[in-house]
Amino acid sequence: MPQPSLFNRLSIFAGLTFLYLPIVVLVVYSFNASRLVTVWGGFSAQWYTAAISNQSMVEGAKVSFLVAAISATFATALGSLAAIVAVRIRRFRGHHIFNGMLVAPMVMPEVVMGVSMLLMFVTLGIDRGPVTITLAHATFTMCFAAVVMQSRLAELDPSLEEAARDLGCPPFLAFIKVAVPNMAPAFVSAWLLSFTLSLDDLVLSSFTTGPGASTLPMKVYSQIKFGVTPEVNAISTIILGVVVFGLVTSRIVSRPSAKSNLAV
Amino acid sequence: MQSYVSIESLSKSFGLFTAVDDISIGIGKGEFFSLLGPSGCGKSTLLRMIAGFETPTSGVVRLDGEEVTDVPAHRRATNMMFQSYALFPHLSVGKNIAFGLQQDRLARSEIRQRVSEVAEKLQLTALLDRKPQQLSGGQRQRVALARALVKRPKVLLLDEPLGALDKNLRAETQHELVRLQRELGLTFIIVTHDQHEAMTVSSRIAIMRQGKVLQIGSPAEVYETPVSRYVAKFLGEANVFEGGTARRSGNELKIESAEAGGSVLATATDHISTSGRYWVSVRPERVELNKQGSGLEGVVEQFSYAGSGRHYRVRLKSGATLDALRVNLGAQDDLSVGDTVFASWMPQAARLLAD
Ligand SMILES: Nc1ncnc2c1ncn2[C@@H]1O[C@H](COP(=O)(O)OP(=O)(O)OP(=O)(O)O)[C@@H](O)[C@H]1O
Ligand SMILES: [Mg+2]
């Protein structure tokens, strides 16, 4: 591989700095001993202790994790079904529209989705709270889960299931016994992706929440209105850690390794 | 003879494209039958219709006298060995082999016994706990074979089973397949586009082209008496010249061929008339090359040494080329590039073709 030129190295450096400097600042200042957010007063983990013992924040975290876990489970189930239709029943009438509609929510403005879901819940007379947040998150993360499942399903050798059928397995059982175990990494990956997307969502949650149900990002956001405290830095760093862990695990699990993928 | 596997006017179209076009074949019990043809001629599609993976557009498939055209794959007494082997990556070799028996809900002890039996037969006993991705290509191939054989199918279908093996292993495995097939008394139908493989293993071969069967016969029949120029050239090498006026004396024909630039010999056959367009075909190993004498005159243009034989390409005076093969009997080679030679053959070495 040729060495990148000085110019290229500089531009990568500038780009990465632009992207990650704010995050670095956030993480560094979460360990600040000083009360003032922008003045360095020595190293300390006190804000983490404060965050963990802040009852309201812990409540928010509980709601967030519960919502994320349940909505990710729904999203993975629905996304897998959509992926099976898209990959296996390829040439049905309107499959182009179906495939387009499946990924459209990825680029749809969240505000629009939020408003429409709020309207729907109001019209149907559903009380807003953790349940509606979960439904909204499942809807919006489903398309991401579907894309992950779709790519794994597409690279799965179709003759595996044929071999199972040939050996006496009815088609549906062949899918369960052969395709599903070989898609297990994709399930994990889709679930983790949906989970992290749900965990850090603010807009949809704000639109679909009701009294007394606040997710962690909502709590952070409302606290920031009274000024940034080092405690917020600490909480944000924890969220960041969870999200990065989720994404990295998702990538590692879904990577087509020699182990999970028979080359021949 | 009652056919064991009987394919009657079978066709399969994908949209407007006809992949298998009105094919009828009868295959006897215990045969090793090959479907041979170039890529895309419909071999796999035909095999998959016998296995039950494709629904025929029209026609009938019978197995041991029973019509199975609409029986789904999982209830057919056929088993298939896939070109990609299609071993289940999440199961060990032992569980791969046992998979089919578990579907039949056999007793655990019987499953264990049959798996170890077939594993022994195919030298897989030491590998039963491995995962497929921990095996070599040849070992995977044997696992795939074991997995299909353990079900004791009426017919074993093999789609290019040796395509992924290197040449030496391939030859060895071909003999192994024949030995197994004889020992077990099973009916094998194999798809291949390798003519040597088809000739080596089969009791009979069907030569296919563009969804149709051109000829069915034993390896010797299709090699010695091809029905068309295409078959003659597809199965081995053949020198083919268009024939002109012919003089008959007894069973012998003396044919003037403008393409060959002289007269050539052949045996007369009843079903081909020498008044229309026809061709004369002769295999390279039947061609004799002499430095003097009579026959078609030409110049040795190319020579290649192939170990078991010496291959010469002769440019005839008419401009056509002629291939000749001399079996290597250890004698000194007396021909070299640039030599003038005369090519001839016995009348029974050449065959007339109408197409
Ligand atoms: N599901 C399908 N849909 C459309 N066309 C198909 C389908 N399956 C096969 N074909 C076409 O049918 C023709 C025959 O295919 P088939 O796989 O039987 O060829 P083959 O003789 O096995 O070739 P090869 O030696 O390359 O495996 C090909 O032209 C192929 O493109
Ligand atoms: Mg094929």
Side-chain angles (χ1 to χ4, degrees):
Chain A
M1 235 174 17
Q3 278 285 313
S5 69
L6 182 64
F7 175 76
N8 283 350
R9 269 183 278 178
L10 275 179
S11 25
I12 287 173
F13 181 73
L16 289 181
T17 309
F18 186 76
L19 274 176
Y20 289 107
L21 188 61
I23 292 176
V24 171
V25 169
L26 170 92
V27 173
V28 167
Y29 275 96
S30 72
F31 292 103
N32 191 355
S34 161
R35 186 149 244 321
L36 301 163
V37 183
T38 48
V39 181
W40 183 249
F43 180 87
S44 157
Q46 60 170 311
W47 301 114
Y48 286 87
T49 327
I52 292 168
S53 46
N54 181 336
Q55 212 46 50
S56 159
M57 286 298 168
V58 172
E59 275 308 309
K62 276 189 192 158
V63 173
S64 272
F65 276 92
L66 201 64
V67 165
I70 297 175
S71 69
T73 308
F74 273 105
T76 307
L78 292 173
S80 305
L81 292 179
I84 291 167
V85 171
V87 175
R88 286 295 159 86
I89 319 178
R90 249 168 319 186
R91 304 228 165 266
F92 57 94
R93 228 183 143 86
H95 67 277
H96 282 302
I97 296 178
F98 176 79
N99 287 344
M101 283 172 73
L102 201 54
V103 294
M106 281 176 144
V107 290
M108 204 182 292
E110 261 191 274
V111 174
V112 175
M113 282 182 79
V115 171
S116 60
M117 285 194 205
L118 175 60
L119 269 176
M120 186 187 76
F121 292 137
V122 170
T123 316
L124 295 177
I126 300 172
D127 281 338
R128 272 154 289 130
V131 174
T132 47
I133 300 179
T134 308
L135 287 175
H137 282 192
T139 313
F140 130 85
T141 54
M142 186 200 112
C143 54
F144 292 90
V147 169
V148 171
M149 296 310 296
Q150 222 173 326
S151 63
R152 175 66 188 136
L153 203 54
E155 69 188 25
L156 194 70
D157 183 358
S159 60
L160 285 181
E161 276 164 80
E162 283 182 346
R165 279 160 59 200
D166 188 63
L167 294 166
C169 217
F172 181 69
L173 266 184
F175 181 78
I176 299 291
K177 286 190 178 176
V178 174
V180 171
N182 286 297
M183 288 195 306
F187 284 121
V188 176
S189 166
W191 192 89
L192 282 171
L193 183 63
S194 309
F195 181 85
T196 48
L197 284 169
S198 160
L199 198 64
D200 67 3
D201 175 79
L202 175 63
V203 178
L204 264 187
S205 310
S206 310
F207 273 101
T208 52
T209 187
S214 294
T215 62
L216 192 58
M218 289 164 71
K219 291 254 163 96
V220 171
Y221 184 69
S222 61
Q223 193 166 20
I224 283 205
K225 288 181 192 150
F226 309 109
V228 182
T229 63
E231 196 184 322
V232 168
N233 280 352
I235 294 168
S236 307
T237 306
I238 294 172
I239 298 179
L240 181 72
V242 173
V243 169
V244 168
F245 177 79
L247 287 179
V248 169
T249 316
S250 155
R251 281 301 287 271
I252 290 174
V253 168
S254 68
R255 192 170 47 203
S257 67
K259 260 189 132 173
S260 67
N261 229 355
L262 197 54
V264 178
Chain B
M1 183 186 73
Q2 171 77 38
S3 296
Y4 194 59
V5 182
S6 159
I7 295 157
E8 296 160 20
S9 313
L10 208 61
S11 295
K12 175 72 184 177
S13 305
F14 297 105
L16 291 176
F17 178 76
T18 306
V20 169
D21 193 359
D22 194 22
I23 286 184
S24 300
I25 304 176
I27 298 168
K29 188 166 186 170
E31 268 206 72
F32 201 131
F33 195 91
S34 294
L35 299 171
L36 176 66
S39 187
C41 71
K43 308 179 295 284
S44 296
T45 307
L46 180 58
L47 199 73
R48 289 168 59 80
M49 284 194 282
I50 302 173
F53 292 124
E54 304 279 0
T55 318
T57 311
S58 64
V60 170
V61 180
R62 262 183 246 280
L63 205 62
D64 199 6
E66 258 174 82
E67 172 162 359
V68 295
T69 319
D70 296 318
V71 176
H74 63 278
R75 285 203 238 105
R76 280 196 201 189
T78 55
N79 280 112
M80 178 133 160
M81 194 185 139
F82 291 81
Q83 180 169 12
S84 63
Y85 304 149
L87 299 178
F88 306 132
H90 62 295
L91 298 179
S92 67
V93 168
K95 290 199 169 128
N96 262 282
I97 300 176
F99 189 92
L101 299 177
Q102 280 161 356
Q103 306 315 311
D104 296 345
R105 306 192 180 284
L106 294 185
R108 217 174 263 191
S109 56
E110 181 172 3
I111 293 181
R112 208 170 317 126
Q113 197 220 325
R114 274 170 71 171
V115 168
S116 66
E117 221 170 83
V118 79
E120 193 159 332
K121 191 162 271 214
L122 288 165
Q123 296 124 51
L124 291 168
T125 311
L127 307 174
L128 287 177
D129 292 326
R130 294 233 199 131
K131 285 284 177 71
Q133 49 281 9
Q134 297 166 324
L135 301 178
S136 73
Q139 290 167 337
R140 284 180 200 178
Q141 189 268 346
R142 295 210 302 277
V143 176
L145 189 59
R147 189 177 67 177
L149 280 178
V150 79
K151 293 267 292 184
R152 298 182 185 154
K154 286 186 171 168
V155 181
L156 184 69
L157 308 167
L158 306 103
D159 193 352
E160 308 212 10
L162 312 179
L165 303 182
D166 65 56
K167 198 166 167 266
N168 287 333
L169 192 54
R170 230 180 136 120
E172 206 175 295
T173 316
Q174 284 166 4
H175 292 295
E176 178 81 12
L177 273 182
V178 173
R179 186 181 65 79
L180 267 173
Q181 188 259 348
R182 296 236 172 95
E183 233 173 79
L184 302 172
L186 289 175
T187 308
F188 277 28
I189 304 178
I190 184 175
V191 159
T192 176
H193 58 227
D194 178 340
Q195 42 136 331
H196 285 294
E197 186 166 298
M199 305 262 268
T200 311
V201 300
S202 330
S203 58
R204 281 193 306 155
I205 303 175
I207 312 243
M208 291 178 61
R209 185 191 192 189
Q210 293 174 356
K212 293 204 177 277
V213 167
L214 301 180
Q215 188 171 7
I216 300 177
S218 70
E221 272 165 8
V222 281
Y223 188 78
E224 303 289 344
T225 56
V227 295
S228 66
R229 283 181 290 160
Y230 182 82
V231 174
K233 289 196 163 167
F234 188 77
L235 212 65
E237 315 281 316
N239 298 298
V240 178
F241 303 109
E242 183 161 10
T245 51
R247 238 172 346 102
R248 183 167 181 164
S249 61
N251 233 359
E252 266 182 51
L253 282 176
K254 192 165 190 186
I255 297 163
E256 294 304 322
S257 167
E259 194 180 354
S263 60
V264 298
L265 296 179
T267 314
T269 35
D270 296 331
H271 49 276
I272 290 159
S273 133
T274 51
S275 52
R277 273 194 98 177
Y278 71 100
W279 287 266
V280 182
S281 157
V282 61
R283 300 282 182 195
E285 67 272 19
R286 310 269 166 86
V287 175
E288 280 170 44
L289 295 181
N290 292 305
K291 282 185 149 171
Q292 290 113 30
S294 61
L296 302 170
E297 191 182 338
V299 175
V300 177
E301 189 177 79
Q302 255 181 46
F303 163 72
S304 58
Y305 179 75
S308 60
R310 296 193 178 94
H311 191 271
Y312 302 91
R313 171 153 294 179
V314 177
R315 176 71 59 187
L316 297 177
K317 276 217 298 222
S318 65
T321 58
L322 176 95
D323 288 322
L325 185 71
R326 279 184 169 181
V327 177
N328 188 353
L329 298 173
Q332 201 61 39
D333 189 23
D334 66 336
L335 292 179
S336 41
V337 173
D339 284 357
T340 297
V341 290
F342 296 88
S344 59
W345 52 82
M346 307 293 283
Q348 58 270 30
R351 182 175 163 73
L352 300 192
L353 301 171
D355 169 31

